[in-house]
Amino acid sequence: MKLAVGSDHAALALKNRLRDQLREWGHEVEDLGTSSTESVDYPDFAHAVATAVQQGRCERGVLICGTGLGMAMTANRHRGIRAAACGDIYSARMSRLHNDANVLCLGARVVAPEYAIELLKAWLDAPYEGTRHVRRVAKIELPEGKP
Ligand code: RB5
């Protein structure tokens, strides 16, 4: 699978670790930054990753900041993006099974690195169930032209 990853300065180390782990698992990864510990604005990276997924350049995205919350709030402004901020394995799995989440958001100040890897694996391994969830997921999007 091809994934886009991004983080702000608060999550640089975890982003690099997850990127390397994804590559070890055989995925293709587009790293959209940040690439230093210099303070940056998380929405810039959330928009970059969300755009890569929205445009189909990458199948899924992973965004990490201090809490994962600002990344999810920003990514979810993009039509077709379903970003889930997850801090537990159950939610990570369910975000795929029922919500067809295409972006995983994690908090580097919330979860330990080893647990973040477990969350990522659970999220990647869980398939979208489809069936009744197709109708519900379709209803997440506002109709064209609605604010
Ligand atoms: C940066 O200090 C922090 O605000 C950011 O990483 C994130 O947690 C925002 O949601």
Side-chain angles (χ1 to χ4, degrees):
M1 186 187 303
K2 183 166 180 198
L3 298 103
V5 299
S7 77
D8 67 0
H9 54 284
L12 173 69
L14 183 57
K15 184 262 291 170
N16 289 345
R17 178 125 186 231
L18 295 185
R19 176 200 61 205
D20 295 347
Q21 182 64 71
L22 283 166
R23 286 179 178 152
E24 257 179 55
W25 287 336
H27 298 288
E28 191 182 339
V29 182
E30 195 172 328
D31 184 348
L32 296 173
T34 191
S35 53
S36 84
T37 52
E38 186 189 332
S39 184
V40 290
D41 299 333
Y42 61 82
D44 297 337
F45 300 90
H47 286 307
V49 167
T51 300
V53 176
Q54 196 176 30
Q55 293 179 343
R57 201 169 78 236
C58 293
E59 199 174 320
R60 292 206 224 155
V62 178
L63 283 164
I64 318 151
C65 60
T67 58
L69 299 176
M71 289 297 200
M73 289 175 191
T74 309
N76 279 322
R77 294 297 176 115
H78 289 247
R79 186 169 280 276
I81 295 299
R82 292 174 300 281
C86 299
D88 64 272
I89 301 284
Y90 179 76
S91 300
R93 268 182 58 73
M94 293 309 289
S95 78
R96 289 287 313 136
L97 294 172
H98 285 194
N99 313 115
D100 196 18
N102 48 15
V103 176
L104 175 67
C105 301
L106 298 172
R109 295 172 178 159
V110 179
V111 294
E114 292 308 321
Y115 193 64
I117 290 172
E118 284 183 46
L119 286 169
L120 180 60
K121 177 139 184 45
W123 186 74
L124 286 171
D125 288 351
Y128 177 43
E129 277 180 0
T131 64
R132 66 193 182 279
H133 303 294
V134 173
R135 183 181 69 247
R136 295 167 184 166
V137 167
K139 284 184 176 181
I140 292 174
E141 295 291 341
L142 289 168
E144 205 69 54
K146 289 269 183 180

